[in-house]
Amino acid sequence: MSNLRSSVKLLGSSYLPPKPKQSGPSPWRPVFWIVLLIAGLFLLARLPIFRIKEISVSGSANKSISAKLEPLRGVSIFSSKIDALQRHVQREDPGIGSLNCRRGVPSILKCTVAYRKPVLAWKNGKAQLFVDEAGYAFERSTEAPLDLPTVIDRAKSSPKAGDRVLSSQIVEAYLELDSLLRKSSLNPTEYFIGESLFQIGAIIEIGGREAQVLFSIASPATWQVKTLRAVIAKKGKTAFSNVDLRVPGYVYYY
């Protein structure tokens, strides 16, 4: 009788009795499996087989870097200490351009180190730093050649190792100008920065005496060097003390 009543539809009505609720899977079941998986991975990572046994470093000055990475021996290959020590080593030595470590499962850490390549020497009083292509200053490395273009910091900005003293575009402008001057046998003894980073000052011997020549980064270096050569050819042995090439189309000398 009860089964009959449950399926009875009232006459003239669209009413149907509600279907009995069915119990579904527990909403906590996925959470349980996720927690179980995380716990399993955590315990797996702590097994002795995954502790670092070998640290290999390739690149320049790898012996000193190997010594700094030695505390990682015995640490889990999955540990966050690897990335933390890697960042610490780079902060400690601004001369390091890049230090990349790759984890080799189960127990090998492979690192590659590259030091910054000096392209300019930077002098501020008695202090001297070196500058790479990106404009970062760092202390002398064993790879620094002795004939780098030297920039005298007359503004006395007192940069420290690790500071960015120039943009990469300004560094490129120095290197281009230095190359053009030397190809023209106008060998500058030094460069200097004074009023602005966007002008390049050079000390060049003209007519038997040193002259201060001002170049602009905003104008093509080829035009400025060509104009300087034309002035020297026109005036011959006349000695100049100052030449200003910063205004396009004009040259001032005295």
Side-chain angles (χ1 to χ4, degrees):
M1 186 68 178
S2 60
N3 293 336
L4 181 61
R5 288 180 179 178
S6 63
S7 61
V8 171
K9 181 178 179 181
L10 296 178
L11 186 62
S13 171
S14 60
Y15 171 79
L16 289 175
K19 295 182 179 180
K21 293 183 179 180
Q22 297 180 355
S23 59
S26 171
W28 294 102
R29 184 174 296 177
V31 177
F32 169 77
W33 287 112
I34 291 174
V35 172
L36 187 63
L37 177 62
I38 293 174
L41 292 175
F42 177 77
L43 294 174
L44 184 65
R46 295 175 65 88
L47 292 176
I49 192 175
F50 292 113
R51 296 191 179 277
I52 297 174
K53 298 181 178 64
E54 180 182 342
I55 301 175
S56 65
V57 180
S58 60
S60 53
N62 55 4
K63 290 184 179 179
S64 61
I65 300 299
S66 296
K68 294 177 181 179
L69 296 177
E70 190 62 26
L72 293 175
R73 194 177 297 274
V75 173
S76 171
I77 196 71
F78 304 106
S79 175
S80 60
K81 292 181 180 179
I82 297 174
D83 296 327
L85 183 59
Q86 183 177 323
R87 291 191 296 268
H88 173 73
V89 170
Q90 286 188 274
R91 286 195 303 267
E92 190 180 52
D93 186 356
I96 297 176
S98 64
L99 175 59
N100 300 311
C101 293
R102 294 184 294 108
R103 295 166 169 84
V105 178
S107 59
I108 300 176
L109 187 66
K110 298 180 179 180
C111 300
T112 304
V113 59
Y115 273 79
R116 299 187 186 277
K117 181 181 178 181
V119 295
L120 295 174
W122 185 282
K123 285 187 176 181
N124 185 348
K126 295 182 179 180
Q128 177 170 289
L129 295 172
F130 293 87
V131 180
D132 70 351
E133 292 180 347
Y136 286 95
F138 57 99
E139 295 178 351
R140 182 176 178 83
S141 69
T142 56
E143 299 180 357
L146 300 177
D147 57 347
L148 290 174
T150 300
V151 180
I152 306 300
D153 183 5
R154 293 186 178 180
K156 298 181 179 180
S157 55
S158 301
K160 303 183 296 296
D163 291 346
R164 192 174 192 182
V165 295
L166 299 171
S167 68
S168 58
Q169 291 82 1
I170 294 178
V171 172
E172 184 179 353
Y174 270 93
L175 298 179
E176 180 188 10
L177 179 61
D178 186 72
S179 175
L180 291 171
L181 288 173
R182 295 186 186 281
K183 287 179 181 178
S184 301
S185 299
L186 298 170
N187 300 323
T189 56
E190 63 186 35
Y191 296 93
F192 62 87
I193 288 180
E195 299 176 2
S196 169
L197 292 175
F198 296 96
Q199 73 176 33
I200 299 176
I203 304 299
I204 302 174
E205 185 176 317
I206 300 176
R209 63 180 293 185
E210 288 188 340
Q212 178 174 282
V213 185
L214 297 179
F215 300 88
S216 172
I217 292 178
S219 301
T222 51
W223 173 84
Q224 295 178 84
V225 173
K226 183 179 179 181
T227 302
L228 178 60
R229 291 178 59 190
V231 171
I232 295 174
K234 180 179 179 180
K235 294 299 180 179
K237 298 293 184 179
T238 304
F240 309 107
S241 59
N242 290 272
V243 181
D244 192 337
L245 299 159
R246 292 176 294 175
V247 180
Y250 295 89
V251 57
Y252 304 94
Y253 53 88
Y254 53 91

